[in-house]
Amino acid sequence: MRLELKQITKKFGDFTANDKIDLVAEAGQIHCLLGENGAGKSTLMNVLYGLYQADGGEILLDGQVQNFSGPGDAMAAGIGMVHQHFMLVPVFTVAENVILGHEPTKALGFLDIQAARERVREISSRFGFDIDPDAIVGDLSVGVQQRVEIIKALLGDAKVLIFDEPTAVLTPQETDELMGIMRQLRDEGKSIVFITHKLREVREVADKITVIRLGKVVGEASPTDSSEHLASMMVGREVDLSVHKNPANLGEASFKVNNLTAFNSAGSKVLDDVSFEIQKGEIFVIAGVQGNGQTELAEAILGIQERVTGSITLEGKELLGKSVKKVLDSGVGFVPEDRTEDGLVADFTIAENLMLDRSDRPPFARGVQLQLKKLHQFAEEKLKQFDIRAQSIFSKAKQLSGGNQQKVVLARELSRDLKVLVASQPTRGLDVGSIEFVHEQIVAARDGGIPVLIVATELDEATQLGDRVAVMYKGKIVGIVSPDTPREELGKLMAGVTK
Amino acid sequence: MKQSKKTPIALALLTFLTVLIAPAVAGDEIEIQIATKTDLFPIPNLVFAAQGFVIFLAVLMLVLAVWSFYLTFSKNQKTPLIATVVFGIAFVASVLVWLFAGATMTLTTLLAGSLALAVPLIFGSMSGALSERVGIINIAIEGQLLAGAFTSAVVASITDSVILGIIAAMLAGVLVAALLAVFSIKYLVDQIITGVVVNVLIIGLTSFLFSTLLADNITVLNQPPRFERISIPVLGQIPIIGPVLFNQTLIVYLMYVAVIGVFLALFKTRWGLRVRSVGEYPKASDTVGIKVFRTRYISVMIGGALAGLGGSFFTLGQVGAFGKEMTNGAGYIALAALIFGRWNPIYAALAALLFGFAQNLQYAVQIVGSPLPSEFLLMLPYVLTVIAVAGLVGKVRGPAAAGKPYIKS
């Protein structure tokens, strides 16, 4: 089926998320939609899928103008979507999830769950998936859940399939397998729309590429174009994708984690005997697929993870068991993975956010009284130093872009006297410009002679930024390797294979 | 994974309690009357040595408790459900023997009465199940029951028909549920606050109408006909089961239908799958074309109809007239039964039966005169609820989206 978007425009208030976008996806082709976070890719697909109503433009399928008032219409017309955040009910079985919305029934509306099982098995075997239709979705790994999403889309007899950032949660091997599935679907004659910001994947699998930036189509590209060319189209200027850093100037190992084990509230092990040391002037990256204990490790260091045993020492002093305040005061800088949830108070101003950690002491406080003049002076300084783009220091944190929010967090953490910096996915969801800035700051912190611990889920970031890379799998460190280790080997480690 | 220590500790505590009770058992014998006159065949009364029986039960409980400790701490295994159930029955039996020692306990009367008292609780918890499974927390069960009680009394009095009375009660329940639904779905008001406000509103409204209208016109407006006892042929004559389950009023039979119906609808039909998906992850439902708001309205309102029907039990079944605030918190106990029953209609009904049993026990104990103040037994449902919510009956996990309004982007 040929999909054509003509002059699609979608506005949210004054903000134009999609500005007259044209896009054509042919049957039997993989069409990549390349753009940075916030470029308007997901908005466009939500318009196509009927979740949003366009303010202008047309959607055509095989030349017929479509009017989607909701996702049900889009599905009926043959559009299926594999969502970035899976649209699966965790407590339902695979069969129940995939039939939701178009359930096979017997008399009186009773579910025909047997028919559903058959259909799951049939599609599973076509793609070589090994999925039990009666498994509870919440018990399945993320990679398998994604396959359930694919089955769900195919069950509706979709002819156009949209994949919205499908590789964000996958290991390199799973990503390769997904590429294979996409090619197979293409060969069956489906039109595939693949949304991503990852150049490697685009170049590997695309037949055609459309690049969008700030809500507008900036041009078409070919999969044979160089990464640099694609990146500059995506960002709108020349970009340097590599991280610049001098050889490490290593000092003593001042940050040590020994036999760290932790349980979650349900009683399962989330950290399993984790031990490592980081030297001064070294960036130590924890790589691995999200959800393998990285968050818990970072939180254990900060002191907000409960049920932890083992030891965490900084310059010989034990951190484990201390309050968060004491941990921060002993020189730990912490950049949380979810900046809007844990890094900032969204409704506070930039200035207030910049002193959250030191609001109780000079120069920002004297007794019970805040020293607002000193605070504002400090905030102005940081605004300049960290190039935070905001109207003023009184702008609320929630009004900032992701990149600028992260700069506020970094500005706050780096302006303390740090003895170690812990940053969890510091570039998650940021635009290329901000990623460059964050990387520079991290490298600067390392060159300032402190140990740096980074949690990274993107393999490229891990290998470029890290002086050493540790891979975590199911709460364990399965290997600590040099950053120039081949990608395949790292991928195996991420899947828990240790030879 | 480590096993929870809650079960063995709870069993140990209850065993200890029984051991304390044993010496206090007065009277030599307990006589249990099982048969009724209408039974197909007669069964003689059972007679036990009261104290000996309690000691026997205590020993049984001790064995089970020790076993549970062994399983949890040495084998790291779960205590089997059957062991917990047997233990529970033994505990209840020992308390019963203690309370009725030296007297005759009419088993069928005790059980049939429990069932009847559980009727509004069960209807209420069905309303809760339909509402919470679709993602709307239903604190307003109390208001739905009360509205049903009031309306059925008035309509049945005027028309002299219990059928019209219960139809009116269902409509009243739907209206109260619609109020809850509109505020929580359309206006995104906090569902718990909305529920409480709706309850206060209905209490106020019915009390006001009672004082201004009903009090002066009792014969016209507040003297409804009552449900008649209908004995089902053959089934009604089976010993124990017959008199307890099949010699009841219309509303009890409707209750059986409601429980089975709600269970089948929620878990075996297309509609139910959609309802539950909306209560778990409304966005996922939306992306497959399910109308989230409509599904929520319909499910909450069907629930309201059932709770309204349950409310008619108070006036047409039990008292025979409407009285101010006569539901007396039954809606909240229904909600507790729902949580106790883990949002499953069948389990919730069983939990409600347990609460009904505790309530009826209190009446029975008043009659025989027992060592325990009857008010003390009134605490039982609430104690059970606290235990349930504290997670003793396993991890209590409700529908994930309950209480969260769905906002379309």
Side-chain angles (χ1 to χ4, degrees):
Chain A
M1 195 184 272
R2 182 174 198 265
L3 166 73
E4 194 175 353
L5 301 181
K6 268 189 188 167
Q7 301 283 301
I8 296 285
T9 300
K10 174 71 189 171
K11 289 179 181 162
F12 296 103
D14 292 337
F15 175 67
T16 307
N18 290 157
D19 191 358
K20 295 181 182 159
I21 289 190
D22 290 317
L23 181 87
V24 180
E26 304 279 355
Q29 276 199 349
I30 297 178
H31 195 118
C32 273
L33 191 58
L34 182 67
E36 288 206 80
N37 292 300
K41 300 176 304 234
S42 291
T43 305
L44 184 65
M45 289 306 116
N46 285 332
V47 168
L48 171 57
Y49 195 59
L51 279 166
Y52 295 159
Q53 303 303 313
D55 296 312
E58 286 179 333
I59 299 168
L60 289 89
L61 288 172
D62 282 341
Q64 300 287 310
V65 177
Q66 305 289 324
N67 258 318
F68 299 151
S69 65
D73 294 347
M75 282 166 58
I79 296 176
M81 185 143 160
V82 175
H83 298 265
Q84 182 177 9
H85 304 286
F86 303 146
M87 289 299 153
L88 300 172
V89 180
V91 296
F92 280 11
T93 66
V94 171
E96 286 171 335
N97 262 297
V98 298
I99 58 171
L100 193 64
H102 38 257
E103 304 83 351
T105 50
K106 296 183 276 198
L108 293 170
F110 278 84
L111 288 172
D112 189 351
I113 209 78
Q114 193 52 41
R117 286 192 193 107
E118 295 298 327
R119 284 159 82 171
V120 171
R121 286 205 191 94
E122 180 205 320
I123 295 180
S124 285
S125 65
R126 210 166 91 207
F127 290 92
F129 300 165
D130 181 24
I131 295 178
D132 173 11
D134 293 318
I136 302 288
V137 163
D139 297 339
L140 302 174
S141 74
V142 182
V144 179
Q145 289 191 20
Q146 187 172 59
R147 292 175 172 198
V148 178
E149 275 268 295
I150 295 173
I151 295 177
K152 187 173 156 188
L154 291 175
L155 210 68
D157 206 22
K159 297 191 179 66
V160 177
L161 271 169
I162 307 164
F163 287 82
D164 188 5
E165 299 271 3
T167 59
V169 290
L170 302 181
T171 64
Q173 267 81 4
E174 285 173 327
T175 303
D176 288 344
E177 286 167 23
L178 178 68
M179 302 280 166
I181 295 165
M182 282 165 58
R183 288 196 192 96
Q184 191 182 341
L185 288 165
R186 173 191 62 192
D187 297 341
E188 287 183 6
K190 314 265 186 212
S191 322
I192 309 282
V193 180
F194 175 27
I195 303 174
T196 188
H197 64 271
K198 295 186 185 171
L199 304 172
R200 177 196 304 275
E201 296 163 6
V202 171
R203 297 179 66 223
E204 193 182 323
V205 82
D207 295 312
K208 225 169 104 189
I209 301 169
T210 300
V211 184
I212 67 171
R213 183 172 74 231
L214 300 174
K216 286 187 181 153
V217 172
V218 292
E220 306 255 307
S222 151
T224 50
D225 289 342
S226 70
S227 288
E228 285 70 23
H229 176 70
L230 291 173
S232 63
M233 273 183 89
M234 188 164 88
V235 182
R237 61 181 166 82
E238 289 300 312
V239 284
D240 191 352
L241 294 170
S242 54
V243 176
H244 288 279
K245 54 176 195 188
N246 299 321
N249 184 10
L250 298 175
E252 51 161 332
S254 62
F255 184 74
K256 297 176 186 171
V257 169
N258 276 315
N259 308 105
L260 206 63
T261 296
F263 294 88
N264 65 11
S265 56
S268 353
K269 230 180 223 181
V270 285
L271 288 177
D272 191 354
D273 200 22
V274 170
S275 300
F276 58 86
E277 293 182 0
I278 311 179
Q279 287 168 279
K280 283 184 174 170
E282 180 189 34
I283 298 178
F284 185 79
V285 175
I286 306 273
V289 180
Q290 215 167 341
N292 274 293
Q294 301 97 318
T295 310
E296 288 80 2
L297 174 63
E299 290 185 350
I301 294 169
L302 185 64
I304 52 176
Q305 178 78 26
E306 286 177 38
R307 296 170 283 269
V308 191
T309 55
S311 104
I312 302 168
T313 56
L314 179 60
E315 300 191 334
K317 282 186 209 122
E318 181 61 51
L319 294 182
L320 197 64
K322 280 191 186 163
S323 68
V324 175
K325 196 180 171 115
K326 287 242 173 72
V327 170
L328 292 179
D329 286 350
S330 51
V332 176
F334 188 79
V335 179
E337 64 181 41
D338 191 339
R339 55 188 161 268
T340 49
E341 268 308 302
D342 304 322
L344 296 163
V345 180
D347 278 306
F348 277 17
T349 64
I350 294 175
E352 285 164 339
N353 271 299
L354 280 170
M355 62 140 194
L356 277 182
D357 52 339
R358 279 161 296 169
S359 57
D360 60 337
R361 66 195 69 170
F364 303 128
R366 203 168 54 198
V368 294
Q369 195 189 9
L370 285 178
Q371 301 295 305
L372 292 179
K373 248 190 206 147
K374 294 239 171 71
L375 169 63
H376 296 157
Q377 208 181 331
F378 172 78
E380 295 287 359
E381 247 171 59
K382 292 294 160 191
L383 210 64
K384 279 204 199 79
Q385 190 189 338
F386 283 81
D387 189 28
I388 300 166
R389 311 265 172 88
Q391 283 183 333
S392 78
I393 57 165
F394 303 111
S395 301
K396 286 185 176 166
K398 67 178 176 191
Q399 295 165 334
L400 303 179
S401 72
N404 284 308
Q405 288 180 341
Q406 192 70 323
K407 286 177 183 173
V408 174
V409 175
L410 277 173
R412 180 182 70 217
E413 296 302 315
L414 292 174
S415 57
R416 281 200 314 264
D417 206 7
L418 293 190
K419 293 193 178 114
V420 63
L421 174 64
V422 179
S424 221
Q425 302 185 36
T427 59
R428 188 170 84 161
L430 300 187
D431 55 281
V432 171
S434 304
I435 292 175
E436 283 175 329
F437 183 87
V438 170
H439 283 167
E440 275 166 29
Q441 293 295 326
I442 289 170
V443 172
R446 159 229 201 210
D447 291 343
I450 60 167
V452 178
L453 175 69
I454 304 289
V455 172
T457 50
E458 304 246 355
L459 203 45
D460 290 332
E461 183 174 46
T463 51
Q464 287 186 16
L465 203 54
D467 295 313
R468 274 190 302 154
V469 177
V471 180
M472 265 185 110
Y473 178 74
K474 292 200 170 162
K476 259 193 169 109
I477 288 192
V478 289
I480 298 179
V481 295
S482 142
D484 46 27
T485 307
R487 201 178 161 80
E488 296 68 47
E489 226 167 279
L490 283 167
K492 275 186 195 153
L493 285 174
M494 284 166 80
V497 182
T498 50
K499 272 166 258 181
Chain B
M1 212 198 272
K2 271 188 192 163
Q3 287 304 323
S4 160
K5 302 176 194 74
K6 285 176 191 161
T7 313
I9 290 173
L11 297 195
L13 280 176
L14 291 177
T15 309
F16 180 67
L17 217 69
T18 312
V19 173
L20 283 187
I21 290 174
V25 174
D28 304 329
E29 289 181 336
I30 174 166
E31 190 171 0
I32 304 172
Q33 186 192 329
I34 293 171
T36 52
K37 284 176 208 148
T38 53
D39 285 354
L40 286 174
F41 52 89
I43 297 177
N45 289 356
L46 292 176
V47 180
F48 291 109
Q51 200 157 28
F53 192 50
V54 172
I55 289 168
F56 164 74
L57 290 170
V59 171
L60 176 68
M61 288 164 73
L62 189 66
V63 170
L64 286 171
V66 169
W67 190 43
S68 171
F69 264 97
Y70 170 72
L71 284 179
T72 310
F73 291 98
S74 296
K75 294 247 168 173
N76 199 22
Q77 281 173 6
K78 245 189 180 149
T79 310
L81 184 66
I82 180 78
T84 324
V85 170
V86 169
F87 185 95
I89 293 171
F91 177 69
V92 173
S94 62
V95 172
L96 284 180
V97 173
W98 173 46
L99 294 175
F100 286 92
T104 305
M105 182 174 86
T106 322
L107 194 65
T108 49
T109 315
L110 191 64
L111 293 181
S114 307
L115 182 67
L117 284 172
V119 166
L121 304 180
I122 291 175
F123 274 114
S125 59
M126 291 309 111
S127 170
L130 284 171
S131 181
E132 305 217 344
R133 280 284 182 179
V134 84
I136 305 292
I137 293 180
N138 194 350
I139 303 286
I141 300 172
E142 177 79 358
Q144 294 165 351
L145 288 173
L146 195 59
F150 178 85
T151 320
S152 61
V154 174
V155 173
S157 302
I158 296 172
T159 62
D160 199 30
S161 154
V162 288
I163 302 293
L164 289 176
I166 59 180
I167 290 171
M170 288 169 82
L171 289 175
V174 170
L175 280 180
V176 178
L179 205 59
L180 171 76
V182 168
F183 277 103
S184 24
I185 299 167
K186 183 149 194 218
Y187 297 107
L188 314 178
V189 186
D190 184 286
Q191 295 169 8
I192 293 176
I193 293 173
T194 309
V196 171
V197 169
V198 166
N199 287 345
V200 173
L201 174 74
I202 300 299
I203 289 172
L205 191 66
T206 52
S207 301
F208 168 74
L209 291 175
F210 175 76
S211 315
T212 50
L213 287 178
L214 268 47
D216 301 332
N217 301 297
I218 291 174
T219 47
V220 188
L221 293 177
N222 201 9
Q223 226 170 42
R226 293 176 57 177
F227 294 121
E228 276 164 37
R229 204 167 278 281
I230 306 166
S231 180
I232 295 185
V234 188
L235 285 179
Q237 284 150 11
I238 303 170
I240 308 181
I241 298 173
V244 174
L245 297 180
F246 301 108
N247 190 17
Q248 295 277 10
T249 55
L250 172 69
I251 193 157
V252 175
Y253 299 126
L254 286 176
M255 179 195 81
Y256 300 152
V257 176
V259 172
I260 294 165
V262 170
F263 174 78
L264 290 178
L266 275 179
F267 294 100
K268 302 289 173 195
T269 68
R270 163 162 62 188
W271 180 78
L273 189 73
R274 292 180 171 190
V275 163
R276 287 183 291 130
S277 77
V278 167
E280 291 286 344
Y281 193 178
K283 190 152 187 216
S285 319
D286 197 0
T287 57
V288 291
I290 294 169
K291 297 197 165 46
V292 173
F293 295 155
R294 196 170 74 183
T295 310
R296 286 194 161 171
Y297 276 115
I298 290 175
S299 194
V300 170
M301 279 154 69
I302 294 175
L306 290 180
L309 181 56
S312 72
F313 169 82
F314 289 102
T315 43
L316 308 187
Q318 199 177 23
V319 180
F322 182 79
K324 266 187 191 181
E325 294 180 47
M326 70 186 308
T327 50
N328 203 13
Y332 300 106
I333 300 186
L335 197 61
L338 178 71
I339 298 170
F340 204 170
R342 297 190 223 176
W343 288 269
N344 176 316
I346 306 273
Y347 293 157
L350 292 176
L353 279 175
L354 194 63
F355 293 165
F357 179 70
Q359 214 172 356
N360 196 33
L361 198 57
Q362 174 234 346
Y363 296 137
V365 161
Q366 267 175 345
I367 296 165
V368 294
S370 93
L372 198 67
S374 63
E375 288 82 1
F376 204 75
L377 284 167
L378 267 185
M379 287 180 4
L380 206 55
Y382 307 100
V383 173
L384 288 175
T385 308
V386 171
I387 291 172
V389 177
L392 197 69
V393 289
K395 198 105 187 157
V396 178
R397 188 199 153 280
K404 295 177 195 145
Y406 183 60
I407 303 164
K408 273 193 115 141
S409 48

